[in-house]
Amino acid sequence: MTRRQFTILTGGTLGLAAIGSWGLASAFKENKREVEPDDISYQENEADVLVIGSGMAGLFAAVKAHDAGAKVMMVSKGRLGSSGLTPFAKGIFAYDAKTEKLSPEEFTEMVSRSALGTNNPVYTQQLAEHSLARVNELREWGFFESNLYNKAFNKPITERNIPLVERVVITHLIKENGKIAGAAGFSLDNQKIHFLKAKAVILCTGAGG
Ligand SMILES: Cc1cc2nc3c(=O)[nH]c(=O)nc-3n(C[C@H](O)[C@H](O)[C@H](O)COP(=O)(O)OP(=O)(O)OC[C@H]3O[C@@H](n4cnc5c(N)ncnc54)[C@H](O)[C@@H]3O)c2cc1C
């Protein structure tokens, strides 16, 4: 017997003996399902614009689409303002034309230079043009008075009666005639599958979504 064959044989035998002596072999049991497929119910909802995700991006997508006249619905696997990366963001930059020495164009050029061109200059320019107005809206909603964002984020959503479906994980985008026509997912709290139909779907699911 070669040294290699011996190691394999003794390793395997000792391994099995160890599992037996720990009682692990008898601990393995069938993984029985807790949810019966027949008990699953379905819920359908419809909107013009479906916003998926309830962090900073989802908040503004929902509010702005609503204010532009769309019937909006928001869905998130977590709670509004309390899921994704948004709860970690504590510092906010706003470009203020009154105090800023650089014009929006110069600002964009400077940011692009220090970012070695890895930024999207269109977004950077949008940041210069719109960030102060967004920060002022956040201030009005009580964002800076609380460490928790759920309350501040709720203000504009409830004021506008935007339906919010929380704790539903979206797993599929629904396609119709080659276009996205909604999304589907499951509830974390009950045996329900959600079908959300929409004319437009905005994915605000964050960096990991
Ligand atoms: C430690 C830390 C500190 C930071 N500090 C700052 C800072 O000081 N200033 C700053 O500007 N930025 C900061 N950032 C970055 C900032 O937090 C993010 O860029 C920003 O919050 C992203 O917002 P978002 O809405 O795009 O995504 P997220 O906040 O990540 O929101 C994603 C949303 O999508 C939902 N979602 C994801 N997948 C699904 C799915 N399948 N179905 C349903 N819902 C789903 C999540 O539940 C969540 O509601 C920081 C980030 C971290 C991690």
Side-chain angles (χ1 to χ4, degrees), residues 93 95 102 104-121 123-125 127-128:
F93 167 81
Y95 173 97
L102 304 171
E105 290 73 25
E106 287 166 342
F107 170 79
T108 304
E109 211 181 294
M110 188 204 65
V111 171
S112 303
R113 208 151 54 98
S114 32
L116 299 174
T118 55
N119 62 318
N120 181 329
Y123 293 164
T124 308
Q125 178 112 5
L127 174 89

Side-chain angles (χ1 to χ4, degrees), residues 73-109:
M73 181 170 222
M74 202 180 193
V75 60
S76 179
K77 69 178 178 182
R79 290 185 69 221
L80 178 63
S82 310
S83 57
L85 295 188
T86 291
F88 299 96
K90 297 290 168 200
I92 291 206
F93 167 81
Y95 173 97
D96 187 345
K98 279 198 205 118
T99 53
E100 194 60 58
K101 289 185 188 80
L102 304 171
S103 70
E105 290 73 25
E106 287 166 342
F107 170 79
T108 304
E109 211 181 294

Side-chain angles (χ1 to χ4, degrees), residues 73-188:
M73 181 170 222
M74 202 180 193
V75 60
S76 179
K77 69 178 178 182
R79 290 185 69 221
L80 178 63
S82 310
S83 57
L85 295 188
T86 291
F88 299 96
K90 297 290 168 200
I92 291 206
F93 167 81
Y95 173 97
D96 187 345
K98 279 198 205 118
T99 53
E100 194 60 58
K101 289 185 188 80
L102 304 171
S103 70
E105 290 73 25
E106 287 166 342
F107 170 79
T108 304
E109 211 181 294
M110 188 204 65
V111 171
S112 303
R113 208 151 54 98
S114 32
L116 299 174
T118 55
N119 62 318
N120 181 329
V122 176
Y123 293 164
T124 308
Q125 178 112 5
Q126 284 179 346
L127 174 89
E129 283 164 9
H130 303 292
S131 55
L132 187 62
R134 297 294 80 75
V135 165
N136 285 338
E137 276 176 314
L138 285 169
R139 183 171 291 119
E140 195 189 309
W141 300 332
F143 180 82
F144 296 106
E145 274 123 59
S146 165
N147 283 330
L148 301 173
Y149 301 155
N150 181 259
K151 211 172 143 205
F153 277 31
N154 252 305
K155 193 167 183 278
I157 297 294
T158 49
E159 274 173 3
R160 289 165 175 79
N161 277 327
I162 297 174
L164 170 65
V165 183
E166 288 178 321
R167 293 177 58 80
V168 166
V169 183
I170 297 298
T171 54
H172 289 77
L173 294 175
I174 302 168
K175 247 184 178 181
E176 245 174 37
N177 304 324
K179 283 188 177 167
I180 302 297
F186 64 89
S187 167
L188 289 169

